[in-house]
């Protein structure tokens, strides 16, 4: 956590709302260092994106799923209301998952609890980890998958 994350408003007793860019700069720093066990990663799609809007995500397909060991690419758009509003997520790698629109790879929020119930304490790492976890659900484990390396 940064000094801003848990700061209290002077005299007001309420939590300070950390501005979008501070939240995203913290996520950028964390993403560049590497997160968790390496099963997910993320970073800015373009180093000159001064608005910190477009991100690339990567998920390694989980053990015991039809996507096991595959490197799956995603595009994450953190709009102007992030982190108060969930980001838009789209798989660039073609996958057959219950929560992914098969026409364009868009992740449908209603199929993913972390997006459906988004709150500003969530972050890109948690989002990617939850998408990865959903790949092992009973519904998605049974889905036949397109050939590795195919894209939307």
């Amino acid at each position: 956590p940064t000094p801003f994350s848990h700061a209290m408003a002077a005299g007001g007793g309420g939590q300070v709302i950390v501005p979008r860019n501070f939240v995203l700069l913290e996520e950028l720093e964390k993403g560049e260092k590497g997160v968790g066990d390496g099963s997910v990663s993320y970073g800015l799609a373009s180093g000159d994106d001064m608005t910190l809007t477009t991100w690339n995500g990567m998920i390694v397909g989980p053990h015991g799923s039809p996507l096991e060991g595959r490197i799956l690419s995603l595009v994450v758009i953190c709009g102007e209301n992030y982190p108060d509003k969930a980001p838009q997520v789209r798989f660039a790698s073609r996958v057959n998952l219950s929560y992914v629109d098969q026409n364009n790879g868009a992740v449908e929020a209603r199929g993913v609890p972390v997006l459906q119930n988004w709150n500003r304490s969530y972050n890109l790492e948690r989002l990617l980890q939850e998408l990865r976890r959903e790949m092992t659900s009973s519904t998605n484990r049974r889905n036949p998958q397109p050939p590795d390396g195919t894209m939307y």
Side-chain angles (χ1 to χ4, degrees):
T2 66
F4 299 106
S5 299
H6 303 289
M8 298 300 280
Q15 185 173 356
V16 169
I17 302 300
V18 180
R20 173 189 182 276
N21 282 5
F22 288 176
V23 170
L24 288 169
L25 285 168
E26 188 174 330
E27 293 206 47
L28 177 61
E29 184 178 335
K30 188 174 181 184
E32 287 175 343
K33 288 180 180 173
V35 291
D37 61 4
S39 61
V40 301
S41 65
Y42 57 89
L44 276 176
S46 172
D48 62 359
D49 179 358
M50 301 312 283
T51 63
L52 307 174
T53 299
T54 306
W55 298 69
N56 288 330
M58 184 277 303
I59 298 174
V60 176
H63 179 71
S65 78
L67 295 165
E68 182 173 346
R70 290 191 189 185
I71 306 296
L72 305 171
S73 298
L74 302 90
V75 176
V76 181
I77 305 295
C78 295
E80 63 185 39
N81 295 318
Y82 182 88
D84 293 311
K85 188 174 180 217
Q88 295 175 305
V89 187
R90 185 181 62 77
F91 276 85
S93 301
R94 189 171 282 281
V95 292
N96 182 16
L97 299 168
S98 61
Y99 56 86
V100 175
D101 182 322
Q102 293 304 300
N103 295 312
N104 58 17
V107 173
E108 298 166 353
R110 70 178 183 276
V112 183
V114 72
L115 287 172
Q116 194 170 5
N117 304 311
W118 186 265
N119 76 60
R120 76 174 289 126
S121 70
Y122 295 170
N123 58 30
L124 298 178
E125 178 184 5
R126 179 170 181 170
L127 169 64
L128 295 173
Q129 288 172 336
E130 291 295 317
L131 291 174
R132 185 175 191 266
R133 191 181 60 73
E134 290 290 331
M135 293 174 186
T136 63
S137 73
S138 58
T139 302
N140 289 316
R141 266 201 316 258
R142 292 191 299 266
N143 288 351
Q145 294 299 323
D148 192 9
T150 55
M151 307 298 269
Y152 283 102

